[in-house]
Amino acid sequence: MSKFCPYCGEELIDNAKFCKSCGKSLEDFKSSPGTQNIQYPPSAVENDHTFATVLGYIFAILIPLFGIIISVYLLTRNDSQKAARHGKYILILSIFIWIISFLLIR
């Protein structure tokens, strides 16, 4: 059974002392009486920005400038680590495609 952070709802690994998402100490929470066996479901579904991610990859290949714009959008999303990771990949792909296209035009 999965455990979740009581502060932000992020799924935790076994024996975690700190939440990997919000960084809050779980030791204080575990030491409180009556809270040892409580399981917390995520408070909200993480917004993974799937539509923007898919558009970002498509634009990174077809129109790198738009890929860069979407990657910056994804990189600035504080509500999803997954979106930020894809934003970084899209940015790298967009710049790579843009450089290759300039080299092929010359």
Side-chain angles (χ1 to χ4, degrees), residues 5-35:
C5 175
Y7 303 103
C8 70
E10 180 73 26
E11 187 171 4
L12 301 170
I13 59 172
D14 293 337
N15 300 324
K17 294 183 180 181
F18 294 93
C19 176
K20 65 181 179 182
S21 178
C22 67
K24 296 208 177 180
S25 173
L26 301 172
E27 295 298 319
D28 299 334
F29 186 76
K30 288 179 183 176
S31 65
S32 300
T35 59

Side-chain angles (χ1 to χ4, degrees), residues 1 3 9 23 32 45 48 50 52-53 67-68 76 86-87 100:
M1 189 166 206
K3 294 182 180 181
S32 300
V45 175
D48 59 0
T50 305
T53 302
I68 291 172
T76 58
H86 283 291
I100 295 298

Side-chain angles (χ1 to χ4, degrees), residues 30-41:
K30 288 179 183 176
S31 65
S32 300
T35 59
Q36 267 62 10
N37 296 324
I38 297 175
Q39 298 293 322
Y40 288 89

Side-chain angles (χ1 to χ4, degrees), residues 3-4 27-28 43-44 49 52 54 59 68-71 92 104:
K3 294 182 180 181
F4 298 92
E27 295 298 319
D28 299 334
S43 58
H49 304 279
V54 171
F59 282 134
I68 291 172
I69 293 168
I70 292 174
S71 71
I92 292 168
L104 292 176

Side-chain angles (χ1 to χ4, degrees), residues 42-90:
S43 58
V45 175
E46 181 180 286
N47 188 354
D48 59 0
H49 304 279
T50 305
F51 184 70
T53 302
V54 171
L55 275 181
Y57 281 113
I58 292 170
F59 282 134
I61 295 169
L62 299 177
I63 309 168
L65 176 63
F66 291 151
I68 291 172
I69 293 168
I70 292 174
S71 71
V72 170
Y73 166 78
L74 291 171
L75 283 169
T76 58
R77 300 301 95 197
N78 294 328
D79 59 346
S80 174
Q81 294 175 350
K82 185 177 176 183
R85 186 178 66 241
H86 283 291
K88 181 173 54 173
Y89 297 152
I90 292 168

